[in-house]
Amino acid sequence: MGPTGKVTLIFTDIQSSTLLWQLHSEKMRVALRAHNDILRAVMVKYNGYEVKTIGDAFMIAFAEPMDAVNYAMQIQVDLMSQSWEDPFNMATEVTMTRVAEESGKAPALSLWNGLRVRVGVHSGTPLSETDCVTRRTDYFGPMVNLSARVQGAALGGQTLISDEVRNNIALGKLDIPCTCLLYTSD
């Protein structure tokens, strides 16, 4: 059973997945499997509860906001570290070449690698009930809608957290030090 009461929800989505499926369906099938494996492996480490998937999007619930933020940061690191097949690396190479041409020097680090996943994190008290078909906890209501909107405001490769999450975590205690964690006002 999923957490109840005040929970932290994460929504994820692969940027440009529809286009990637249209252009590279076989490679996208392999990439999606790798993506799903990464998200699920990290979910275990941070006590996440997989509510559901819709295509390439995940909805995940956490009892603790700190676990949710650590999860979000870790999946971005793991996705960036993944060895992706072309065409996913081609976009990175083109962008890095353009940055080098415009600045006259090579960038010091990659901006992204492979699939770019946008992640939104929001805390609150959703309505919850057990789905009669899946027998899994599902969540509903305005808190869930806002959680999805937080994710929708992020770009691929970004993790965006709401003020509610930011006010309930200790930034200095993140498992992965970060120089930039984006947040949005509720």
Side-chain angles (χ1 to χ4, degrees), residues 65-76:
M66 199 69 187
D67 283 342
V69 173
N70 277 319
Y71 170 84
M73 299 303 292
Q74 186 65 57
I75 64 169
Q76 294 291 20

Side-chain angles (χ1 to χ4, degrees), residues 6-64:
K6 187 167 185 176
V7 301
T8 302
L9 294 180
I10 284 184
F11 280 84
T12 71
D13 184 55
I14 297 174
Q15 182 175 304
S16 303
S17 63
T18 302
L19 180 61
L20 289 169
W21 276 107
Q22 290 172 346
L23 296 176
H24 308 286
S25 60
E26 284 308 310
K27 289 184 180 184
M28 188 61 182
R29 181 185 313 267
V30 173
L32 183 62
R33 192 172 303 120
H35 161 273
N36 292 354
D37 289 348
I38 289 168
L39 269 63
R40 287 183 174 123
V42 178
M43 203 180 306
V44 172
K45 179 178 179 181
Y46 290 107
N47 306 306
Y49 177 80
E50 184 176 328
V51 180
K52 61 179 111 181
T53 60
I54 302 169
D56 60 73
F58 275 71
M59 178 183 181
I60 306 160
F62 295 83
E64 298 296 327

Side-chain angles (χ1 to χ4, degrees), residues 12 18 21 30-31 33 37 83 87 89 98 107-108 129 138 151 153 161 171 180:
T12 71
T18 302
W21 276 107
V30 173
R33 192 172 303 120
D37 289 348
S83 177
N89 285 331
R98 187 173 300 138
E129 64 182 43
D138 202 353
Q151 175 266 308
I161 66 173
L171 290 175
C180 181

Side-chain angles (χ1 to χ4, degrees), residues 70-87:
N70 277 319
Y71 170 84
M73 299 303 292
Q74 186 65 57
I75 64 169
Q76 294 291 20
V77 167
D78 290 357
L79 289 163
M80 181 77 168
S81 302
Q82 175 70 20
S83 177
W84 300 100
E85 285 187 50
D86 280 341

Side-chain angles (χ1 to χ4, degrees), residues 10-14 57-58 117-121 145-155 158 160 184:
I10 284 184
F11 280 84
T12 71
D13 184 55
I14 297 174
F58 275 71
V117 177
R118 52 182 151 242
V119 180
V121 188
N145 297 338
L146 182 55
S147 300
R149 285 189 178 93
V150 172
Q151 175 266 308
L155 299 173
Q158 288 183 330
L160 188 61
T184 182

